[in-house]
């Protein structure tokens, strides 16, 4: 049975300035839930590229200090007045954009973003509105559950947007969290998966997860032409574009007529300089991503539970090793997600 929280203060991290030196361990007051809110004891967090961008200043937070890191998982320990959907002991996942319930994305000015404009998950406790949560699948650990909010929801939205089903093909760039979730969702949909990486070891791991075709882009510079060969010149129905300007032109070339390029990441920058002709001549769909709504999040979590899928975690760090987790994220080279135990 969950006991009422008697402590007054908690351990947390504050991002006090841009750069990893700005990540400081602190002790702060435990927040208390108001009407419609719950207090969550966090047990794990996980990193996304957006967390790195916030820490580096590439995506600056409007105000510092801030408790960083968007994604987390924990258990409800206290409920505010009027909360009926959850009770103490429930294992829950806070959504990155809690006010985006469904439908159209709220305006930027009225869009709370966890770990950016409101407190994130790098703390012992978190207060959240009950309407911004999803129940965690019973077969997952807290570390696994903490990987779902941004990366898995983004991958789910990509697969749904691309209408993947048997007979369709998806191209995935790299082996980060979004790509590996998309691989698992695509295979559950019966689609064919082509994935590229610079590491044969990672490509072998991707095959174990179900990838049908793999390409090492260090050895095959024109990987888009290779993709066309693998699809009899037709191209793929969906590209999950996680890199940005460095790969974008080849992604367009590898996409089939009336296919979709689902744009997720900006690892190589945020300014494009590519020809529009492939988009026009092939009537491509270019779809931007800001994860998904709470309805998308809950639908994805249900699918994970129904299919018994497990997130791929490259490495887990202890709470006092949060900076090392950020540094590993910055170095790249990880396969799947990076988690932090709380």
């Amino acid at each position: 049975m969950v006991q009422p929280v008697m402590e007054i203060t908690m351990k947390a991290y504050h991002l006090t300035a841009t750069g990893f030196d700005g990540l400081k361990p602190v002790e702060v007051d435990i927040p208390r839930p108001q009407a419609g809110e719950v207090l969550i004891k966090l047990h794990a967090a996980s990193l996304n590229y957006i967390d790195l961008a916030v820490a580096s200043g590439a995506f600056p937070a409007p105000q510092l200090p801030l408790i960083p890191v968007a994604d987390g998982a924990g258990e409800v320990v206290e409920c505010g007045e009027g909360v009926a959907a959850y009770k103490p002991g429930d294992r829950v996942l806070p959504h990155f954009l809690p006010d985006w319930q469904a439908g159209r994305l709220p305006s930027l000015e009225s869009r709370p973003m966890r770990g950016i404009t409101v407190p994130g998950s790098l703390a012992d406790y978190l207060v959240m509105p009950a309407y911004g949560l999803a129940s965690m699948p019973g077969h997952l650990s807290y570390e696994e559950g903490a990987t779902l909010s941004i990366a898995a929801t983004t991958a789910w939205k990509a697969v749904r947007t691309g209408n993947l089903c048997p007979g369709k093909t998806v191209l995935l760039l790299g082996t980060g969290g979004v790509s590996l979730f998309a691989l698992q969702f695509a295979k559950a949909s019966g689609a064919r998966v082509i994935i590229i990486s610079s590491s044969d070891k990672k490509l072998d791991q991707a095959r174990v997860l179900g990838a049908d075709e793999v390409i090492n882009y260090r050895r095959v510079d024109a990987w888009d032409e290779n993709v066309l060969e693998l699809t009899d010149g037709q191209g793929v129905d969906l590209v999950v574009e996680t890199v940005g300007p460095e790969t974008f032109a080849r992604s367009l070339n590898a996409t089939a007529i009336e296919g979709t390029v689902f744009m997720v990441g900006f690892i190589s920058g945020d300014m494009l300089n590519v020809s529009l002709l492939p988009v026009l001549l092939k009537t491509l769909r270019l779809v931007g991503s800001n994860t998904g709504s709470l309805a998308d999040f809950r639908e994805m979590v249900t699918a994970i539970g129904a299919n018994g899928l497990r997130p791929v975690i490259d490495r887990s760090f202890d709470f006092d090793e949060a900076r090392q987790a950020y540094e590993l994220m910055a170095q790249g080279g990880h396969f799947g997600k990076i988690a932090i135990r709380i």
Side-chain angles (χ1 to χ4, degrees):
M1 179 180 295
V2 176
Q3 298 297 319
V5 176
M6 304 302 293
E7 303 100 318
I8 298 174
T9 61
M10 67 177 183
K11 293 180 180 178
Y13 277 91
H14 273 173
L15 183 65
T16 61
T18 56
F20 296 156
D21 286 341
L23 194 64
K24 305 290 188 182
V26 294
E27 189 167 293
V28 297
D29 289 343
I30 295 175
R32 296 297 171 183
Q34 303 302 308
E37 297 179 333
V38 299
L39 177 66
I40 301 166
K41 173 67 180 80
L42 290 162
H43 291 293
S46 78
L47 294 180
N48 293 280
Y49 182 74
I50 188 65
D51 300 312
L52 196 63
V54 170
S56 69
F59 192 105
Q63 186 173 346
L64 298 177
L66 172 75
I67 295 176
V69 181
D71 284 2
E75 64 179 320
V76 174
V77 293
E78 196 174 313
C79 295
E81 183 181 350
V83 174
Y86 300 98
K87 64 184 184 304
D90 287 347
R91 304 197 314 156
V92 294
L93 306 172
H95 186 36
F96 170 52
L97 301 170
D99 282 8
W100 186 12
Q101 296 291 295
R104 180 172 292 185
L105 180 70
S107 66
L108 188 61
E109 295 76 16
S110 61
R111 187 191 312 167
M113 296 180 284
R114 297 194 58 252
I116 302 175
T117 63
V118 294
S121 296
L122 218 50
D124 285 335
Y125 292 92
L126 166 73
V127 160
M128 276 282 292
Y131 63 71
L133 302 173
S135 296
M136 198 170 103
H139 71 289
L140 297 185
S141 69
Y142 282 114
E143 289 164 60
E144 290 171 325
T147 68
L148 299 182
S149 176
I150 289 183
T153 306
T154 299
W156 178 255
K157 193 75 179 289
V159 167
R160 299 283 280 175
T161 300
N163 297 313
L164 290 189
C165 59
K168 291 197 172 184
T169 303
V170 59
L171 171 64
L172 307 174
L173 308 188
T175 55
V178 172
S179 291
L180 295 187
F181 278 122
L183 190 163
Q184 291 175 292
F185 294 146
K187 294 309 296 180
S189 302
R192 180 187 182 196
V193 176
I194 303 171
I195 190 166
I196 70 170
S197 170
S198 62
S199 165
D200 286 335
K201 178 182 178 181
K202 291 181 181 179
L203 291 174
D204 288 341
Q205 290 173 293
R207 280 194 184 278
V208 172
L209 287 175
D212 299 282
E213 307 286 351
V214 300
I215 301 171
N216 187 318
Y217 65 81
R218 294 294 185 200
R219 290 201 297 270
V220 183
D221 183 56
W223 51 263
D224 51 327
E225 298 296 334
N226 198 167
V227 170
L228 291 173
E229 291 172 9
L230 292 171
T231 55
D232 298 323
Q234 299 301 304
V236 299
D237 301 288
L238 171 67
V239 177
V240 182
E241 173 48 84
T242 54
V243 179
E246 188 177 290
T247 55
F248 203 79
R250 293 194 185 278
S251 290
L252 295 181
N253 188 44
T255 307
I257 290 173
E258 296 188 350
T260 300
V261 179
F262 193 84
M263 297 176 287
V264 175
F266 51 100
I267 295 172
S268 63
D270 60 2
M271 299 298 293
L272 285 174
N273 183 21
V274 297
S275 171
L276 289 176
L277 287 179
V279 179
L280 302 175
L281 294 175
K282 294 196 285 185
T283 60
L284 302 181
R285 283 200 307 163
L286 306 183
V287 181
S289 169
N290 198 331
T291 66
S293 69
L294 187 69
D296 297 319
F297 182 40
R298 288 175 173 166
E299 185 181 63
M300 174 275 299
V301 168
T302 299
I304 290 235
N307 289 276
L309 301 179
R310 304 199 83 103
V312 178
I313 296 178
D314 183 277
R315 185 174 170 187
S316 293
F317 290 84
D318 289 332
F319 189 67
D320 60 3
E321 298 175 316
R323 175 167 177 157
Q324 290 96 306
Y326 271 86
E327 289 170 345
L328 178 61
M329 185 80 179
Q331 292 164 9
H334 49 284
F335 184 83
K337 299 290 292 180
I338 298 169
I340 299 171
R341 293 181 288 266
I342 302 175

